[in-house]
Amino acid sequence: MRELKLTPIKNGTVIDHIGNGLALEVLRIIGVRELDKDSTVSVALHVRSQKIGWKDIVKVENMELSPRKVNAIALLAPTATISIIRDFKVREKRPVDLPDRIAGVLPCPNVNCITNQREPVESEFEVARRRPVVLRCVYCERLVDDFRNPLA
Ligand SMILES: Nc1ncnc2c1ncn2[C@@H]1O[C@H](COP(=O)(O)OP(=O)(O)OP(=O)(O)O)[C@@H](O)[C@H]1O
Ligand SMILES: [Mg+2]
Ligand SMILES: [Zn+2]
């Protein structure tokens, strides 16, 4: 069945197949308050999905996501897909994808880690496990498996 839950957009980004209830966190990552006030943002929560049962969807006009934001979304919502819309058509569609190393997206939870001292050292993790995702700090080796506040 054709999905008509949200108004079509001419140009922008669709983040679909977001795990149920995670769209508000995705909006926080995108930083909707910083967006151009002429861009419509539509959000659907708890939409029936063939693939993942229930899902959320976010559609943002006139915006493309930075790689850093895509990484943050991938940690939070690994089932999400990102589609680029140009002139009402899907120009590109890809699953979010975690690179082997993730820098500057979330802080290390170890307060003694060098990335939490008064040093200009950006946090950096390597992927220790993929399903479910576990990250390891490249400086202090602390493992992280809670991604509720990326880019906070
Ligand atoms: N003009 C548009 N405006 C807003 N959203 C769009 C537009 N065209 C496509 N989409 C959305 O972009 C995503 C990808 O589009 P596509 O037509 O490939 O969806 P689909 O056939 O439902 O595929 P799937 O759900 O398997 O990714 C879907 O979420 C769709 O709703
Ligand atoms: Mg679909
Ligand atoms: Zn660390």
Side-chain angles (χ1 to χ4, degrees), residues 108 110 113 115 137 139-140:
C108 180
N110 173 6
C113 180
T115 60
C137 176
Y139 298 101
C140 72

Side-chain angles (χ1 to χ4, degrees), residues 88-104:
F88 293 106
K89 290 193 193 72
V90 179
R91 273 299 128 85
E92 196 189 310
K93 178 168 69 177
R94 57 193 159 78
V96 292
D97 163 47
L98 265 192
D100 295 332
R101 283 193 167 224
I102 296 145

Side-chain angles (χ1 to χ4, degrees), residues 1-4 6-11 13-17 51 55 57 59 81-90 92-93:
M1 194 179 69
R2 191 82 186 98
E3 182 185 284
L4 283 173
L6 296 172
T7 322
I9 57 181
K10 184 161 194 259
N11 295 297
T13 302
V14 174
I15 307 158
D16 196 353
H17 312 107
K51 285 183 194 162
K55 67 176 181 181
I57 309 171
K59 302 193 179 191
T81 56
I82 295 185
S83 303
I84 309 298
I85 310 298
R86 300 249 167 83
D87 209 14
F88 293 106
K89 290 193 193 72
V90 179
E92 196 189 310
K93 178 168 69 177

Side-chain angles (χ1 to χ4, degrees), residues 99-119:
D100 295 332
R101 283 193 167 224
I102 296 145
V105 167
L106 71 163
C108 180
N110 173 6
V111 292
N112 296 317
C113 180
I114 184 146
T115 60
N116 290 320
Q117 308 306 313
R118 292 176 165 273
E119 309 276 341

Side-chain angles (χ1 to χ4, degrees), residues 20-40:
N20 201 15
L22 296 174
L24 300 179
E25 276 290 292
V26 169
L27 289 175
R28 199 182 53 70
I29 292 167
I30 293 170
V32 270
R33 268 171 294 187
E34 295 149 38
L35 290 176
D36 172 359
K37 293 292 180 283
D38 295 330
S39 301
T40 298

